[in-house]
Amino acid sequence: MKKITIVSCVLLLIITACSTSKTAMHAQAVAEKYGKDEQIADTFLHRLQQENDLVLANAVEHTAWGHNITYRVIARKGGQWKGYNYKVLNAKGGQVQINETSVNASDCNSVLPFFEKEGIWKERTEGENKCGAVINDGSTWHLLLITPAKVLRSTWYEPAFYQQHCPDSTRQMFLDAFEKVKVVLGGSPAGVNN
């Protein structure tokens, strides 16, 4: 009976590893299809790009009163994940805060399917203001999928606000992926302290 349990556990681990590997390969395929050959300019993100096989990040950029960017990043190298909370305060002056955070590998792997949705990365026309809702001095939200050679970016201006007032399926995919990274790194729910 004990041998059957051990064999079952080993088979379950193999199936899980294969499933995770398949998902990671699909993320690489999305990067190949939609990504631009690019080395990211930000020095910290560039280092992560060079040292890891996959980097997933969300960022909120504030420009109304200065230029600050807050990133939440998970990076994978050889199946191992690391998490980072990274802030660029006064982007022109270059004040930086980097905090490494422990992350759960299965939580990080659960983020991959959200970044694989091709609709997030396809070019689109901005349509936030078609329903008459307007917000000024808001923030711009970014998603990044980074491999050693390619970078994908998706950007929306105040997506949570506009999704509430003008629902859009592509924007919702963006918000779902954004939220998954945030939750893995212990962030608050969407729309709170972005």
Side-chain angles (χ1 to χ4, degrees):
M1 185 65 132
K2 212 175 202 181
K3 286 183 180 182
I4 293 172
T5 305
I6 292 170
V7 170
S8 296
C9 289
V10 169
L11 286 174
L12 182 61
L13 287 172
I14 291 170
I15 290 168
T16 302
C18 290
S19 159
T20 300
S21 177
K22 182 180 176 185
T23 301
M25 288 189 327
H26 190 255
Q28 299 284 19
V30 169
E32 287 302 314
K33 183 173 183 179
Y34 294 104
K36 291 172 41 179
D37 289 326
E38 179 182 344
Q39 293 299 301
I40 208 151
D42 178 274
T43 55
F44 177 69
L45 294 177
H46 179 75
R47 189 185 89 208
L48 291 179
Q49 180 179 23
Q50 295 305 301
E51 294 176 355
N52 297 280
D53 43 273
L54 185 64
V55 177
L56 306 175
N58 72 25
V60 177
E61 182 177 13
H62 301 278
T63 56
W65 302 99
H67 187 197
N68 303 310
I69 307 171
T70 301
Y71 294 91
R72 291 182 182 89
V73 182
I74 55 175
R76 187 193 71 213
K77 180 176 184 173
Q80 300 296 314
W81 290 92
K82 290 185 179 180
Y84 303 90
N85 288 303
Y86 168 49
K87 294 182 181 183
V88 180
L89 307 169
N90 186 7
K92 293 181 182 178
Q95 296 174 314
V96 173
Q97 296 175 349
I98 302 169
N99 296 311
E100 188 170 333
T101 304
S102 63
V103 291
N104 179 294
S106 63
D107 289 345
C108 291
N109 288 329
S110 74
V111 173
L112 285 169
F114 290 86
F115 275 75
E116 293 172 348
K117 294 181 178 179
E118 296 180 13
I120 294 172
W121 311 111
K122 290 181 180 178
E123 285 196 36
R124 60 183 159 67
T125 58
E126 292 292 333
E128 287 99 342
N129 294 327
K130 289 186 178 179
C131 69
V134 177
I135 187 170
N136 294 314
D137 293 334
S139 56
T140 303
W141 296 19
H142 306 273
L143 279 180
L144 298 161
L145 187 156
I146 304 166
T147 67
K150 302 258 184 182
V151 177
L152 278 84
R153 286 184 180 83
S154 183
T155 301
W156 289 82
Y157 179 74
E158 285 295 338
F161 171 83
Y162 285 106
Q163 187 64 13
Q164 182 179 5
H165 297 285
C166 318
D168 176 88
S169 61
T170 303
R171 188 186 304 111
Q172 188 59 55
M173 283 189 279
F174 174 94
L175 287 168
D176 292 344
F178 193 97
E179 184 68 16
K180 285 301 278 187
V181 173
K182 191 174 187 178
V183 168
V184 165
L185 291 167
S188 56
V192 180
N193 297 324
N194 291 314

